[in-house]
C-alpha cells in the first residue's frame, strides 16, 4: 500500500524510485520542524505479515496514533473487516487517521467520490477514526499534511470535542465553552460585543481580529442561526455554533487553543494545578483574602446584582455560580445563606457576601482558591496564580503575652448548656428577629458578620455553636488551636445553667490556654441564684477574670457584646486570668505591695509621734 514510500518521501522530500526495504527503521521528527505543541514525533513502520504479528501488536499498543493506509478495493475492505476490529481486540483506544495512498493512479477516482463512498462510511462506523486524507508519495501530495494530521490527532484530538455521528459538540465541550463565554462576557449581558470579542481573540491567539475578519465570522454564524447575532453582539448559542463549525470543518485545533488558554486538559477538566495551586498555611497562622481578593468578590457581587437591590436573589446567585460546580460544600453544610447577613427579602447582602468568603478562606482556603479559578480571577501579573488573592497572617503563638493579634478574621466557639440562648445569640449577631420557640442545635452552626472595633477598624467575626459535636470538637487539638476565643454562656434565669461551664473547664483543662469571655444571657428575665458552691461572679473573680457580662438579645446593646468578643480575640491577653498573666513576672505586684507596707509603716510612725506630743 506504500507505507514505506510515504515515510521515505517525507524524509527525502522527493519520491524515491529505487527499491526500498520493506520495513524502515523508526524515524524521529524533532520539535523544531513546525510540529504542533512543539512535540517530538517518532514514526514506526510495521509489517502486516502474519509472522510479524507479535511485533506489530507491540508497536500498536505503544502508539499514540495509528496511520492506517490503503490503496485499492482489497486493502479498503480490510480496513473495516480486519484492521479496526483488530485494534479494538488489543484494547487500544487511540485515534486512527485513515489514508488512501497512490492518489496519482487514475483508477483511484476523484477526492469527492473517495470521501463519500469510502471514507465517510468508515468514520460513521468507527468512532476511533479521527480524520481522513488522500496522499501520493510519487507526486509528493499531502505528505507533510498526513503527518501533521497524525500529530494533531494526539495534540488536538477531535474525539473529546465533537460527535461525528451527530455532528454536534459533545456535552463536556459545550460545558467548557459555556464557561469560556461566561468569563469573556465581562458585563454579563449575555452577549460578546466587539470589544469583548477582540479581548478574547487577543487572550487566546495573541492578536485582535481585523474588522473584516470579525464581520465574516458574524456573517458565517448568522447564516446558520440569524437569531444569535444582534446589535448587542454574539450570544452564547452563536459562540457555541462557531466552535461547532470549527470542529466540523477540521479546525478543532482552534477550539483546543481556546480551551487550553482557559486551563482545560485533554479530558476537558480544569487543570488541578490551576484549581489547587500550592498554598501552605504555617502553624499558628491563618489565611485571609488580600485586598485584590476582596476587590474581586465586591466586583462580582455588583456585577450580578442586576436589580440593584443590594442583595443577590436565588436567580442572581445561580447565574453567578454558573461556571462552577455549584455552591461550595462548606456553604451547604453551614446552611448558606442563613449563616450570614441577609436583607429583609432574605437575599444575601454585600456585607454578608464578603463575610461568607472571609469565613470560607479562613476555614477552607483551598475552596476559595478553586472558586477564584472557576469564577475567573485574574492576577495582575499573568505569571502569578490565584494565590495572590489570599494572604497569610502573622503567626499567633503566645496569646498570654500582651499585644495585638494581626488578624482580620476571628473565630469564636460559643459554649454553654442546652437552652442557654446560644442560637438566639447567633441570630442576633446576624440581626435576625428573636424567636421564643426553642429548637435544640444538633449539628454545629456558624454565623459570620463584620464587626467594627474601637477606632473604626473592621474585622470579621465567626461565631460557632458546636451542638451535639461539642465533646468531639473540644477534644480535637487542631480545632482548639484554630480558635481565637471561647465565649462561655449561661442562662442567668436557669439555676442549673452555669454548672455546664464549670464542668467543661474541669473536663478539658487545656481550654484555659485560650482567651475567654463569660456571658450571662437572658438578662431581661429575673436573675436566679445558681445551684453550686459559688456563684458566677465569685467563680470568675476567683479565676482573676472579669465578671460575666449580663446581656439580652432583646436589647439593642447586644451589639456591644460582639465588639467585646472581637476585642478580646484581637488582644488575647485581656481574656486570661490576671494572676496567670502576671505569673511570669510579679515585680510590679511586689513593688506595689512594698509601697503599701512602707506607707503603712510611715503612717504608724507619724501617728505614734503625734500621740506622744
Amino acid at each position: 500500500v506504500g507505507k514505506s514510500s510515504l515515510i521515505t518521501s517525507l524524509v527525502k522530500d522527493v519520491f524515491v524510485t529505487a527499491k526500498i526495504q520493506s520495513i524502515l527503521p523508526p524515524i524521529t521528527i524533532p520539535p523544531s520542524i513546525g510540529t504542533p505543541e512543539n512535540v517530538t514525533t517518532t514514526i514506526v513502520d510495521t509489517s502486516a505479515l502474519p509472522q510479524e504479528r507479535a511485533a506489530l501488536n507491540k508497536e500498536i499498543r505503544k502508539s499514540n496514533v495509528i496511520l492506517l493506509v490503503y490503496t485499492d478495493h482489497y486493502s479498503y475492505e480490510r480496513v473495516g473487516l480486519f484492521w479496526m476490529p483488530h485494534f479494538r481486540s488489543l484494547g487500544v483506544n487511540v485515534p486512527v487517521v485513515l489514508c488512501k495512498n497512490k492518489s496519482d493512479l487514475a483508477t483511484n477516482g476523484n477526492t469527492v467520490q473517495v470521501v463519500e463512498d469510502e471514507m465517510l462510511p468508515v468514520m460513521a462506523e468507527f468512532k476511533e477514526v479521527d480524520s481522513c486524507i488522500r496522499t501520493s508519495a510519487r507526486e509528493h501530495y499531502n505528505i507533510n499534511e498526513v503527518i501533521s494530521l497524525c500529530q494533531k490527532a494526539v495534540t488536538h484530538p477531535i474525539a473529546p470535542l465533537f460527535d461525528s455521528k451527530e455532528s454536534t459538540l459533545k456535552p463536556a465541550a459545550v460545558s467548557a465553552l459555556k464557561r469560556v463565554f461566561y468569563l469573556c462576557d465581562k458585563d454579563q449581558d449575555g452577549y460578546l460585543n466587539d470589544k469583548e470579542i477582540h479581548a478574547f481573540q487577543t487572550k487566546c491567539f495573541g492578536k485582535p481580529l481585523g474588522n473584516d475578519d470579525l464581520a465574516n465570522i458574524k456573517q458565517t454564524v448568522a447564516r446558520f442561526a440569524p437569531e444569535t447575532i444582534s446589535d448587542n453582539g454574539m450570544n452564547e448559542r452563536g459562540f457555541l455554533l462557531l466552535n461547532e463549525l470549527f470542529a466540523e470543518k477540521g479546525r478543532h485545533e482552534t477550539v483546543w487553543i481556546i480551551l487550553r488558554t482557559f486551563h482545560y486538559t485533554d479530558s476537558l477538566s480544569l487543570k488541578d494545578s490551576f484549581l489547587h495551586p500550592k498554598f501552605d498555611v504555617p502553624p499558628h497562622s491563618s489565611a485571609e483574602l488580600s485586598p485584590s481578593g476582596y476587590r474581586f468578590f465586591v466586583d462580582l457581587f455588583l456585577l450580578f446584582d442586576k436589580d440593584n437591590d443590594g442583595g443577590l436573589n436565588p436567580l442572581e446567585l445561580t447565574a453567578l455560580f454558573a461556571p462552577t460546580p455549584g455552591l461550595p460544600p462548606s456553604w451547604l453544610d453551614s446552611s448558606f445563606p442563613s449563616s450570614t447577613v441577609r436583607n429583609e427579602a432574605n437575599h444575601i447582602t454585600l456585607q454578608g457576601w464578603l463575610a461568607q468568603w472571609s469565613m470560607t478562606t479562613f476555614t477552607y482556603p483551598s475552596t476559595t482558591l478553586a472558586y477564584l479559578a472557576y469564577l475567573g480571577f485574574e492576577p495582575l501579573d499573568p505569571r502569578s496564580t490565584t494565590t495572590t488573592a489570599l494572604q497569610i497572617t502573622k503567626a499567633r503563638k503566645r496569646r498570654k503575652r500582651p499585644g495585638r493579634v494581626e488578624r482580620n478574621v476571628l473565630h469564636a466557639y460559643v459554649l454553654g448548656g442546652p437552652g442557654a440562648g446560644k442560637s438566639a445569640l447567633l441570630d442576633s449577631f446576624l440581626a435576625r428577629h428573636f424567636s421564643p420557640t426553642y429548637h435544640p442545635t444538633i449539628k454545629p452552626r456558624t454565623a459570620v458578620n463584620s464587626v467594627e472595633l474601637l477606632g473604626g477598624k473592621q474585622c470579621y467575626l465567626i461565631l460557632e455553636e458546636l451542638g451535639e459535636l461539642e465533646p468531639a470538637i473540644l477534644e480535637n487539638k487542631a480545632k482548639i488551636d484554630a480558635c481565637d476565643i471561647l465565649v462561655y454562656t449561661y442562662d442567668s434565669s436557669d439555676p442549673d445553667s452555669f454548672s455546664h461551664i464549670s464542668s467543661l473547664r474541669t473536663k478539658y483543662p487545656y481550654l484555659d490556654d485560650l482567651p475567654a469571655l463569660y456571658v450571662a444571657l437572658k438578662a431581661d428575665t429575673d436573675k436566679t441564684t445558681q445551684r453550686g458552691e459559688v456563684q458566677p461572679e465569685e467563680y470568675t473573680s476567683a479565676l482573676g477574670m472579669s465578671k460575666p457580662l449580663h446581656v439580652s438579645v432583646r436589647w439593642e446593646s447586644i451589639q456591644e457584646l460582639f465588639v467585646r468578643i472581637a476585642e478580646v480575640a484581637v488582644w488575647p491577653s485581656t481574656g486570661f486570668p490576671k494572676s496567670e498573666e502576671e505569673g511570669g513576672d510579679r515585680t510590679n505586684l511586689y513593688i506595689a505591695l512594698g509601697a503599701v507596707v512602707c506607707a503603712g509603716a510611715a503612717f504608724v510612725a507619724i501617728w505614734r509621734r503625734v500621740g506622744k506630743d
Side-chain angles (χ1 to χ4, degrees), residues 344-408:
E344 293 181 357
N346 279 331
H347 302 156
I348 184 172
T349 65
L350 177 58
Q351 178 183 348
W353 173 251
L354 296 179
Q356 185 74 24
W357 279 113
S358 297
M359 178 171 68
T360 305
T361 306
F362 177 87
T363 313
Y364 303 105
S366 60
T367 297
T368 299
L369 289 171
Y371 275 78
L372 285 165
Y374 286 129
L375 294 167
F377 173 81
E378 295 181 348
L380 293 176
D381 184 352
R383 296 169 297 180
S384 301
T385 66
T386 51
T387 56
T388 59
L390 272 59
Q391 60 189 20
I392 296 175
T393 63
K394 186 178 179 180
R396 176 203 60 196
K397 295 182 179 179
R398 301 179 181 179
R399 308 193 207 206
K400 296 182 181 180
R401 178 174 295 179
R404 191 184 190 284
V405 172
E406 298 299 327
R407 292 191 174 193
N408 297 313

Side-chain angles (χ1 to χ4, degrees), residues 18 201 293 456:
Q201 177 76 13

Side-chain angles (χ1 to χ4, degrees), residues 245-421:
L245 291 173
F246 284 146
E248 190 173 24
K249 302 300 181 183
R251 294 181 56 191
H252 43 281
E253 180 181 359
T254 301
V255 183
W256 275 117
I257 292 173
I258 294 169
L259 292 173
R260 286 171 179 160
T261 299
F262 286 86
H263 307 284
Y264 281 93
T265 65
D266 288 352
S267 61
L268 295 180
S269 60
L270 287 169
K271 292 180 181 177
D272 189 67
S273 60
F274 175 62
L275 290 177
H276 306 291
K278 182 176 176 58
F279 185 80
D280 296 324
V281 180
H284 310 295
S285 295
S286 64
E288 297 179 355
L289 287 172
S290 67
S292 63
Y294 277 115
R295 183 74 259 169
F296 174 77
F297 284 117
V298 168
D299 291 343
L300 204 60
F301 182 96
L302 297 177
L303 183 61
F304 282 88
D305 182 18
K306 297 297 185 182
D307 52 13
N308 294 316
D309 67 343
L312 294 179
N313 61 45
L315 288 178
E316 291 168 339
L317 269 177
T318 300
L320 191 155
F321 281 100
T324 75
L327 292 177
S330 61
W331 290 28
L332 299 175
D333 292 341
S334 65
S335 301
F336 174 85
S338 64
S339 56
T340 191
V341 185
R342 294 175 286 175
N343 59 19
E344 293 181 357
N346 279 331
H347 302 156
I348 184 172
T349 65
L350 177 58
Q351 178 183 348
W353 173 251
L354 296 179
Q356 185 74 24
W357 279 113
S358 297
M359 178 171 68
T360 305
T361 306
F362 177 87
T363 313
Y364 303 105
S366 60
T367 297
T368 299
L369 289 171
Y371 275 78
L372 285 165
Y374 286 129
L375 294 167
F377 173 81
E378 295 181 348
L380 293 176
D381 184 352
R383 296 169 297 180
S384 301
T385 66
T386 51
T387 56
T388 59
L390 272 59
Q391 60 189 20
I392 296 175
T393 63
K394 186 178 179 180
R396 176 203 60 196
K397 295 182 179 179
R398 301 179 181 179
R399 308 193 207 206
K400 296 182 181 180
R401 178 174 295 179
R404 191 184 190 284
V405 172
E406 298 299 327
R407 292 191 174 193
N408 297 313
V409 182
L410 307 164
H411 188 198
Y413 283 151
V414 180
L415 308 178

Side-chain angles (χ1 to χ4, degrees), residues 48-65:
L49 295 174
Q51 59 267 31
E52 300 289 342
R53 192 59 45 85
L56 171 67
N57 292 345
K58 180 181 178 182
E59 294 299 339
I60 289 174
R61 289 193 176 98
K62 288 165 56 180
S63 67
N64 299 112
V65 59

Side-chain angles (χ1 to χ4, degrees), residues 1 13 93-94 100 230 242 265 278 310 341 345 377 405 413 438 474 479-480 501 516:
V1 293
D13 207 29
N93 184 23
V94 297
K100 181 165 187 178
S230 69
L242 177 62
T265 65
K278 182 176 176 58
V341 185
F377 173 81
V405 172
Y413 283 151
Y438 174 64
L474 294 183
K479 294 279 189 182
I480 294 298
I501 295 176

